[in-house]
Amino acid sequence: MMTITTRIRHLLLLLFLGAMHALSAAQDTGYADELKDFGVAPTDYPRTQGYGSPTPTSIPGAKVVSTQELVEMRKADPKPVIFVAYGAQGVIPGAIVAEGSGEGRLLGSDLEKFTNLLAKHTNGDKSRAVVFYCHGPKCWLSYNAALHAKAAGYTNVYWYRGGRDAWKAAGKKFKKPQEEAGGDD
């Protein structure tokens, strides 16, 4: 017959093993599958349909950043300028809503709003680190926005592929957005 102490030890061992398994899974595919390879090839061109589908693990002309890397980047001086490519109600602290920036084709006034928003928040410094995110690794909006920033001449572009889902899975907090692109200025 097991004593209470032995049962507690068994329970603690099971909890420890479960935690180690969860940590191992997070290391393999990141938080919320942010590192998972869905077998999708990267493209130089923004996606114009099927925005809610699996994304590539890399992006031409930009760097993919994981949750842990973004946490570290946010400690830098100057901090990167973080943009969320959809109309979010809660954002990574300090992020700016750039609704519409992830559309496949940014033309005319939409393109002008996007480039003005980037210029405003980078003080016109196209070498300033800019990060784009959306819902997660099955969302093309931030991939597209990063490509648009690259096309606008920005040279230090990051794509946070894990996005909202990975940030939440990592236990990180959200805040109210600073402003929304396209709002009345």
Side-chain angles (χ1 to χ4, degrees):
M1 180 175 239
M2 284 189 174
T3 66
I4 292 177
T5 304
T6 304
R7 286 184 184 175
I8 291 173
R9 285 184 185 155
H10 283 262
L11 179 60
L12 289 174
L13 178 61
L14 288 173
L15 288 172
F16 174 77
L17 291 174
M20 293 306 294
H21 176 71
L23 181 60
S24 172
Q27 291 172 345
D28 292 341
T29 61
Y31 294 103
D33 288 339
E34 69 182 342
L35 306 175
K36 185 174 182 174
D37 187 348
F38 296 106
V40 177
T43 175
D44 286 319
Y45 304 101
R47 188 177 186 113
T48 58
Q49 60 185 9
Y51 296 133
S53 59
T55 58
T57 57
S58 64
I59 181 170
K63 183 181 184 302
V64 178
V65 62
S66 70
T67 300
Q68 192 55 45
E69 290 169 323
L70 184 57
V71 168
E72 291 303 314
M73 287 175 72
R74 293 179 70 237
K75 295 176 185 175
D77 186 22
K79 293 180 188 319
V81 182
I82 304 172
F83 296 95
V84 57
Y86 66 96
Q89 298 302 308
V91 300
I92 292 171
I96 297 124
V97 174
E99 189 171 3
S101 65
E103 294 296 320
R105 293 183 187 93
L106 280 185
L107 304 170
S109 65
D110 291 333
L111 178 59
E112 185 178 347
K113 283 179 192 176
F114 177 68
T115 57
N116 287 343
L117 185 71
L118 290 176
K120 175 182 176 182
H121 290 284
T122 62
N123 293 319
D125 180 359
K126 292 189 175 189
S127 68
R128 177 88 184 264
V130 290
V131 179
F132 296 91
Y133 80 93
C134 57
H135 300 287
K138 292 184 179 178
C139 179
W140 283 83
L141 296 175
S142 54
Y143 185 97
N144 287 352
L147 289 178
H148 294 317
K150 185 185 113 190
Y154 285 81
T155 59
N156 205 2
V157 179
Y158 293 85
W159 173 40
Y160 177 36
R161 183 176 185 246
R164 176 204 63 200
D165 296 347
W167 194 257
K168 183 177 179 181
K172 303 296 181 189
K173 303 292 182 201
F174 295 92
K175 302 271 184 185
K176 279 186 82 166
Q178 289 184 14
E179 70 176 64
E180 293 193 25
D184 295 329
D185 289 329

